[in-house]
Amino acid sequence: MRSYLRELLTGAIEKTAKGGELNSSELPPLLLEPPKQREFGDLATNVAMLWAKSAKKQPRAIAETILKNIEDPDGILARKEIAGPGFLNFTFAPKFYYARLRELAAGNHARLDLGQGERVQVEFASVNPTGPLHVGHGRVAVIGDVLARLHEATGFNVEREYYVNDAGNQMDNLGLSIMARYRESFGEKVEFPEGGYPGDYVTEIAAEIKQKHGDKFLHDPVETAVRFFREYGGDSLLNTIRSQLKNFGIEFDSFFSEKVMRERNEVDRAMDELRSRGLLYSQDGAEWYRSSQFGDDKDRAVIKSDGELTYFAADIAYHRNKFERHFQKLINVWGADHHGYVPRLKAAMQGLGYDPNVLQIVLVQMVQLTRGGEPVRMGKRTGEFVALEEVLEEVGGDAARFFFLMRKSDSHLDFDLDLAKKQSSENPVFYVQYAHARVASIFEQAVKAGMDLGDRGTVPVERLGLAEELELVRKMSQFNDVLEESVRELEPHRMVFYLLDLAGEFHRYYNRIRVISEDLELSRARLLLIENVQKTVRRGLEILGVNAPLKMAARAEAEC
């Protein structure tokens, strides 16, 4: 919807600048937002206020000049006015909405091409292969997947990547944990390793090894056994993670192994490059990166005094590899506990000569599960956390995806398991899906009544004169605006909010207005209207990775 007004205003602003009516040819940014109060119109801009300083004129005077220079030959604006200190408010005419509905019906709605084929990598859900996914991982995974889907829907060439943290102490601890359970299965009393993984899944992996190899590893040297358990356990758990994500509708284009990267000496080469740039120095036997030189609050160790690499060194090498693959945008989706890591990683990329703004990091806050109003704190299989698999078994993939997206990523999320299972309008995902199913039901009634939409191009959309009907078209016309905002701000929750608003408008309309009546032409117009509501809901749900069912529980009819 913004694009139509932006075109009119851009022309008016350029005409104002070229006409010499102002003392400035420096054009201000044109920002268009819905007014906070609906009565002030459909869209508003503060462009006159932004221009006032350089033009050395009062904002209202500039606003008057802009309005005078608006050329609207198609009459898409019903009202344009100046408000307050110089805001410009605009209201679209009904004919504008009729034209948008015809475009939607013909499948000619403008496709956003923000990316124009630019290559984007989204790296997300990169969980250490030391255990199954928990609900927090699930939220990170869904946000990453939907960010990828949003970029694909707006003309970007997207690659999804999973960074496999398969090197380092955590993998050694996994190997020691499996070895302890393996030895216990033969009746030995074993002290469980400090920092080990106590979940039942470790016992299950040990049992698999025992079944395949018997007591072989009771006789092998400890180092040999631990190395095997580490490799076997890591591979097994990575396969489990891949399977769980696939069942959740999430697949990756590439899995990037930290271990393989180290074997290729990429970390050493990255450190050599930083040394050659004079950005590493020695202190207390360790090597440090001059991170503070690039905006970080202090310098960071990359090589410990015992010669071991820090995690930061490996992350520098990994992101150097990413930049060398020439993506135009790199998006990392991380847990919020990594917030302090952002400035140091950007500083490292800047030190290597890359544009740190190419790297954009989305932080995701924790999830609190509740049941019966009480927090759910422990899972059945892990012994520590609630596994994602348990939640999916209980509420299903659609509800889980939708609920994970119902808050801004950097806000804590309360996930009500009871609510997610309800087959009623109280359940947000049910509420949106039922809008789609309800339209299908209405069309079934139309068929039974012998009513056919026929040629969509001949439907008299001008018969849609009710405010509720124009509001539905207005909501549908905002789809691309929401899509653009979601991509630019990296905020997939905006699409969820939008779908809830659209579904709400539709359910209220349905409860007040008879879609099918004795008036054939009005019925055709209303059927065309709701058919496009259904198409718009489906487009949004597809981006979220949520199903758009044609039938749902009958008792919902009285509740929505």
Side-chain angles (χ1 to χ4, degrees):
M1 194 163 74
R2 286 190 181 96
S3 60
Y4 298 95
L5 182 56
R6 187 178 287 121
E7 186 177 342
L8 293 185
L9 278 176
T10 299
I13 290 166
E14 289 175 352
K15 186 176 178 182
T16 300
K18 291 175 183 174
E21 297 172 76
L22 301 177
N23 300 321
S24 173
S25 59
E26 183 182 334
L27 299 182
L30 178 54
L31 307 174
L32 294 167
E33 297 293 338
K36 290 182 179 177
Q37 293 173 270
R38 182 70 182 85
E39 62 265 28
F40 291 142
D42 295 317
L43 289 170
T45 180
N46 64 347
V47 65
M49 299 163 72
L50 296 175
W51 209 353
K53 186 174 180 181
S54 63
K56 298 178 182 176
K57 274 198 170 188
Q58 290 297 313
R60 287 188 69 91
I62 297 172
E64 288 169 4
T65 307
I66 292 172
L67 286 187
K68 184 181 69 175
N69 286 326
I70 289 177
E71 296 178 5
D72 180 18
D74 297 326
I76 68 170
L77 294 176
R79 195 171 81 237
K80 45 188 186 290
E81 57 193 11
I82 303 167
F87 289 103
L88 284 166
N89 293 339
F90 300 92
T91 302
F92 288 108
K95 67 182 298 185
F96 170 81
Y97 292 119
Y98 297 143
R100 301 293 75 74
L101 180 55
R102 289 197 185 282
E103 287 176 357
L104 286 167
N108 295 332
H109 50 274
R111 185 181 182 278
L112 271 185
D113 191 11
L114 302 177
Q116 299 184 337
E118 281 190 3
R119 295 181 67 234
V120 174
Q121 187 208 67
V122 186
E123 184 238 313
F124 62 102
S126 300
V127 181
N128 295 343
T130 54
L133 298 170
H134 62 59
V135 287
H137 298 144
R139 189 183 185 198
V140 171
V142 170
I143 287 172
D145 182 55
V146 176
L147 283 171
R149 289 167 179 263
L150 286 163
H151 281 78
E152 286 170 336
T154 51
F156 291 89
N157 181 6
V158 179
E159 178 181 298
R160 295 163 172 82
E161 183 156 286
Y162 187 113
Y163 179 60
V164 185
N165 294 271
D166 52 1
N169 292 334
Q170 78 276 3
M171 298 306 296
D172 291 334
N173 287 339
L174 176 66
L176 290 168
S177 302
I178 296 171
M179 184 172 73
R181 297 304 188 212
Y182 174 79
R183 288 185 171 276
E184 284 176 351
S185 73
F186 287 96
E188 290 189 25
K189 290 188 176 180
V190 180
E191 185 178 349
F192 198 73
E194 185 179 350
Y197 298 96
D200 288 350
Y201 64 90
V202 173
T203 305
E204 291 167 7
I205 293 171
E208 277 181 28
I209 295 171
K210 179 180 179 180
Q211 185 179 13
K212 290 180 180 178
H213 300 279
D215 64 357
K216 171 181 175 355
F217 299 105
L218 295 179
H219 312 295
D220 281 0
V222 171
E223 284 187 10
T224 303
V226 170
R227 184 164 58 249
F228 174 82
F229 290 135
R230 182 181 62 209
E231 298 294 325
Y232 186 97
D235 290 344
S236 173
L237 286 166
L238 182 59
N239 287 333
T240 296
I241 289 167
R242 291 176 77 155
S243 176
Q244 289 176 344
L245 289 172
K246 187 175 182 179
N247 291 339
F248 204 15
I250 299 171
E251 296 191 66
F252 292 85
D253 300 297
S254 59
F255 283 78
F256 190 100
S257 165
E258 179 187 350
K259 183 175 68 174
V260 172
M261 177 182 70
R262 290 188 182 214
E263 290 169 354
R264 291 195 301 248
N265 296 317
E266 289 191 45
V267 184
D268 292 337
R269 289 201 297 274
M271 296 304 102
D272 288 343
E273 186 171 344
L274 289 174
R275 284 191 200 95
S276 71
R277 291 170 176 262
L279 295 174
L280 297 188
Y281 65 92
S282 296
Q283 183 177 302
D284 301 327
E287 276 196 272
W288 300 74
Y289 172 60
R290 299 183 189 277
S291 189
S292 59
Q293 189 173 316
F294 301 96
D296 195 7
D297 57 354
K298 61 181 180 181
D299 293 345
R300 306 289 176 174
V302 290
I303 301 176
K304 301 176 186 176
S305 57
D306 61 3
E308 186 179 342
L309 293 166
T310 65
Y311 288 120
F312 184 42
D315 285 337
I316 291 172
Y318 172 47
H319 285 81
R320 176 176 177 265
N321 180 290
K322 286 188 183 191
F323 273 92
E324 288 301 311
R325 283 184 267 166
H326 305 294
F327 293 100
Q328 278 80 35
K329 187 194 283 191
L330 295 168
I331 301 170
N332 288 359
V333 186
W334 289 349
D337 55 335
H338 288 78
H339 71 278
Y341 218 76
V342 176
R344 76 186 72 168
L345 187 57
K346 283 181 169 278
M349 294 305 100
Q350 191 172 354
L352 287 168
Y354 303 116
D355 179 0
N357 295 317
V358 169
L359 177 61
Q360 300 179 39
I361 297 172
V362 176
L363 297 174
V364 182
Q365 278 288 359
M366 293 296 292
V367 178
Q368 174 63 66
L369 292 175
T370 62
R371 184 185 288 113
E374 295 296 322
V376 179
R377 301 194 185 279
M378 189 173 292
K380 299 169 186 172
R381 292 185 65 243
T382 65
E384 303 175 79
F385 51 78
V386 181
L388 174 64
E389 193 173 34
E390 293 176 41
V391 174
L392 295 182
E393 287 172 0
E394 183 168 348
V395 306
D398 285 348
R401 288 184 75 104
F402 201 91
F403 271 59
F404 282 143
L405 294 163
M406 280 176 56
R407 294 287 180 272
K408 193 175 177 182
S409 63
D410 60 1
S411 297
H412 285 274
L413 176 70
D414 289 324
F415 191 127
D416 186 334
L417 292 165
D418 295 327
L419 179 62
K421 290 184 289 185
K422 281 191 176 180
Q423 300 288 300
S424 75
S425 60
E426 293 176 74
N427 180 349
V429 65
F430 184 94
Y431 189 65
V432 173
Q433 287 180 316
Y434 191 64
H436 189 272
R438 177 170 261 172
V439 174
S441 174
I442 295 169
F443 269 84
E444 285 182 3
Q445 295 169 32
V447 170
K448 289 177 183 175
M451 189 172 293
D452 183 9
L453 256 178
D455 180 1
R456 268 72 172 166
T458 66
V459 174
V461 295
E462 291 77 14
R463 293 292 305 277
L464 300 170
L466 296 178
E468 296 97 321
E469 291 165 340
L470 295 179
E471 184 61 22
L472 275 172
V473 184
R474 176 177 175 269
K475 285 286 181 194
M476 289 187 281
S477 301
Q478 292 173 336
F479 185 90
N480 277 358
D481 295 345
V482 175
L483 199 53
E484 182 174 353
E485 290 167 358
S486 301
V487 170
R488 293 201 189 283
E489 302 299 324
L490 301 180
E491 292 181 348
H493 72 279
R494 290 173 182 254
M495 184 58 70
V496 169
F497 288 5
Y498 168 79
L499 289 175
L500 286 167
D501 283 347
L502 177 59
E505 287 292 339
F506 168 71
H507 288 309
R508 286 189 290 274
Y509 174 73
Y510 174 84
N511 289 328
R512 282 201 59 232
I513 306 298
R514 282 185 64 196
V515 174
I516 301 170
S517 67
E518 294 77 16
D519 187 331
L520 176 61
E521 294 302 282
L522 180 58
S523 298
R524 288 181 71 214
R526 287 176 172 169
L527 284 169
L528 185 74
L529 173 68
I530 66 167
E531 180 181 56
N532 284 283
V533 169
Q534 185 188 51
K535 283 162 59 175
T536 305
V537 169
R538 185 164 60 246
R539 283 179 72 199
L541 288 175
E542 283 173 355
I543 287 172
L544 301 182
V546 174
N547 288 303
L550 295 175
K551 289 187 180 294
M552 295 183 75
R555 71 187 183 91
E557 184 71 24
E559 298 179 353
C560 288

